[in-house]
Amino acid sequence: MSNTAISPAAMHAVLRQLPLMSGRIVDDTRHEKVLSYMRLFLASPGAIARLGEWEAVRVLGDCLRQSSDHRVAAVAVRFLGDCIAVPEAGRAVWRCVADEQPDGAILRWIVENADSQHALLRFSCLYFVRMAAAGGYAEEEAAGGTLLERLDYRRYVVRRLLDSGSYFVVEEACRLLGVLVYRGGRLDPVVCELVRALVDRPFAQQSTGRKLAVLAAVSALFCGTAGRRAVHCLGLRLLPLDRLALYLVDSDRLIRDRALDVLENTLRLTADAGCGPAVGRILAALAGGAEAGAKVRAVTALRIMAAVVKEAPSNTRLADTGACIRGRASAFVGTAISLLCLAHGLEAEAGAGPHSPDDELHLFLFSLIDPSAASGRPGATADSAAGGGGSARGLRNAVLIEAARIVREYCRTGFDSDTVLVLSRLLEHKGVQANAQLLQLVLDAAVGALRLVRHSADLGIAHLLELPAVISNFAIRAPGLKTLFELAHEVVEAKDSYDRGLFARFCAALFRSVRARLVDVEWEARDTALEFVSAVVRGQGWAGARCLVCPFAGDARDSLIADAVRALDDPEEYVRASGAQVLAAIVDKAQDDRHAVCTIVGHARLDRVGLASLLNDSEAFVKRAALDLVCTIGRSLALSPSSSHYDGSREWLHCLDYPRLYQLADDPDFEVRVRCASLLALLLHCWLLRVDDPHSDVRVLEGLQPGSLLIDMCGDSSRYVRRVCLDRLSDMKQGLDSHFSKHPDGGEEEEAEAAVDEDCSASNSSSVSKRRQTAGRDRKAVFYQKLCAIDFARLKDSLTAEHLYQEALDTQVERELMDESEAPNEGNNILDCY
């Protein structure tokens, strides 16, 4: 059984208790959790056969007939739908459902409750019908006819599309429509007719619910998978662009948004060269119409332009650039850039997208930014364009936001040098920096363009020198900064594809930008900059990261190492943790760079007192990073034959003491304990290597008692901690098994050494040394006996995967499902769970 499935015993317990779940259970999500358990069971081999042995169809039928709680019935119906959807084995379940006595009671219940007052039941019945239709069972004869006939599915689907009680019911009805529209290798004429009848009603006579139903039905046709081409063409015929325009200017924003979704699908799927002119007519009507306010018309027009720009790259079937989507998309980008430049007093670059012709739409949009532009439209004034002075600022901002979205869509698939320069200038403008949403959109556009520049053979890295300048822009907060650093990381990864001299200039500029952000007043920016450095070091190794961390040869103080060390004293705990992570990454990856490791290990801030203060930090994530740093230094130095060449090579060891290790081993944060176990294993390994060496730090290591602490941690509550203990101790035991198998009895060896001591004229110091070696072997043997006393098999059995649905495996599953409240249950909307 997989780790994500529940056991048959737990499933059987859940199934038995389902009809008995109390109606007083307040939390509706409890029922959905039960359904998730049952669904997980279906993933296990032989699940349908076991359900047959347990007479699951009868039990679920009892849930429908006996339970007064509609939530229990909804769980039963949807689980039945999941069962019949199981490939091959689902047919056996369907036969049991269709033949269930008396007289196909389950199917009859579904027909009777298809229009239930409870939205959850309507949703569940739709789900069952969709599963049955997808499997081809809904058209099979059963008691009283086929399921579709008994439901009168033509009217049933329309009713659910018009359902005003729940958006989720409408969505499920759309999925059912997508299944029903194409069956048996052809379009279903009944379904086609019902969609046509839904759409053909005059727009003025359609209620808000009907408009949403029309758009949902057409969207369902565009999303269909079976008979895709025929179904898509049907949707394009039923709601052409000229008719869709009525929905695009509706007063209800939800309807306009749904209509824009349909427009995007139309632009993506169409192969009609008349689509471009149709879009032009819609935009012209929006510019000169009076059916809606200026803000609605302007925002809708710009969103249509954004949809055209978004879908233009995917529409490759139209070659006539004068009338097709691609030609218009290019003009729309030019208009959007001109709007942004006009609003901020910038002059658009000559090549930043072609200028849109001075048509009515162009003048209308520009009049909302600059009232003087309204003079180009007969009868237009600033107040009429802006809808009144009081709302002018909000309207202007809405136009700029939508214009920036157009440029962002363009920069995802195309770029030009002038557009990149315009975006860089906009990012430096105080007006853009004062508008957080606009700044983020312009930044997204700039990042998209620069990412495409990176792949350009013509421009190469020369144009990417703009990137460090953008990173130095303090108006860009941490989320945008993270995106910029991700792009910078991509550039560093591809360093071999760039000119060496230009790449060196890029790294030097990037170094200065990172250092500038490390003194940012916002801690998030400092933390993001350190995370970037750590990611580059770990991802590219020291050879690839050195050009960023230490771009200038000479004084190590003029490097990011010094900045990372200073970050250890930052007032913000996240920055302290990130600084420690950077240092750990450099020590780990720079093994061959003695100068870099010396700079860190020998730094005054990283002496025993400084490291101890990090280990004693009040925040768990700082302690995690500190333990990582100490472990990395220890592995790099204590186990290296050249460790004595480093100044301060023992500071990592002398910063530790037994009380501190004991506290870390008992820390409430399990990740701290995981790292503590790794550190104890390292200390224990060092002790085993040096226990016979009288000149080593054996006494210091023995005072820390790493063996006793690590063995005690085998009983930790976290399986991750126990895993570290098991792996490390079992490896040590294997090594000691090999050692003591060669020397099973140390007595003869000790007697021989004693005889040699008596006969030879060795110095007193030599005798002391040999006695220490003998004592060391004795201590090693004592530790080996402790290892042999550990039940490794039992410890391994305790590491079985703990998964999300652990409570379903508990022996108290029945009691868990029966938690009740004295208050009557009114329920929360269970569909919100989705």
Side-chain angles (χ1 to χ4, degrees), residues 277-392:
V279 171
R281 290 193 297 271
I282 295 174
L283 293 175
L286 288 170
E291 297 82 2
K295 183 174 182 179
V296 171
R297 290 186 288 121
V299 170
T300 302
L302 288 165
R303 287 186 177 178
I304 292 173
M305 294 162 64
V308 171
V309 173
K310 177 181 178 180
E311 299 301 335
S314 63
N315 196 327
T316 59
R317 289 169 287 185
L318 301 179
D320 182 7
T321 56
C324 76
I325 300 301
R326 287 185 169 187
R328 292 188 174 273
S330 180
F332 293 161
V333 173
T335 297
I337 292 175
S338 298
L339 285 170
L340 291 169
C341 291
L342 176 65
H344 298 96
L346 302 177
E347 183 177 351
E349 299 291 332
H355 293 288
S356 186
D358 291 330
D359 55 15
E360 192 170 5
L361 174 65
H362 187 85
L363 294 174
F364 167 64
L365 294 174
F366 274 66
S367 68
L368 304 179
I369 301 299
D370 182 6
S372 63
S375 59
R377 291 176 60 228
T381 65
D383 287 342
S384 65
S391 61

Side-chain angles (χ1 to χ4, degrees), residues 70 113 115-123:
H70 68 278
N113 289 271
D115 295 314
S116 170
Q117 63 176 338
H118 298 293
L120 182 57
L121 284 185
R122 297 197 300 274
F123 171 78

Side-chain angles (χ1 to χ4, degrees), residues 446-456 460-461 464 467 471 481-498 503 506-507 510 532 535-537 539-540 544 547-548:
V447 170
L450 289 172
R451 182 167 277 116
L452 293 174
V453 165
R454 188 176 76 78
H455 298 289
S456 172
I461 199 174
L464 283 171
L467 181 58
I471 290 174
L481 190 61
K482 185 175 182 180
T483 305
L484 291 169
F485 279 137
E486 288 174 355
L487 177 56
H489 195 172
E490 293 175 14
V491 176
V492 175
E493 283 181 330
K495 61 181 182 299
D496 293 336
S497 60
Y498 301 124
F503 183 74
F506 174 82
C507 286
L510 183 60
F532 164 68
V536 171
V537 173
Q540 305 306 309
C547 58
L548 170 65

Side-chain angles (χ1 to χ4, degrees), residues 734-801:
Q734 289 178 6
L736 292 175
D737 283 341
S738 176
H739 172 77
F740 284 104
S741 65
K742 297 177 181 178
H743 307 286
D745 186 3
E748 296 180 1
E749 185 178 346
E750 292 173 6
E751 292 177 1
E753 290 179 357
V756 171
D757 287 339
E758 292 177 359
D759 296 339
C760 71
S761 58
S763 65
N764 185 50
S765 61
S766 177
S767 299
V768 171
S769 174
K770 290 182 179 180
R771 283 197 296 270
R772 287 178 177 174
Q773 291 176 4
T774 302
R777 285 192 293 272
D778 290 341
R779 291 192 295 272
K780 188 182 292 186
V782 171
F783 176 68
Y784 178 62
Q785 291 174 0
K786 291 182 179 180
L787 287 182
C788 292
I790 298 175
D791 189 346
F792 284 98
R794 183 176 180 181
L795 181 58
K796 186 175 182 180
D797 290 340
S798 73
L799 300 178
T800 55

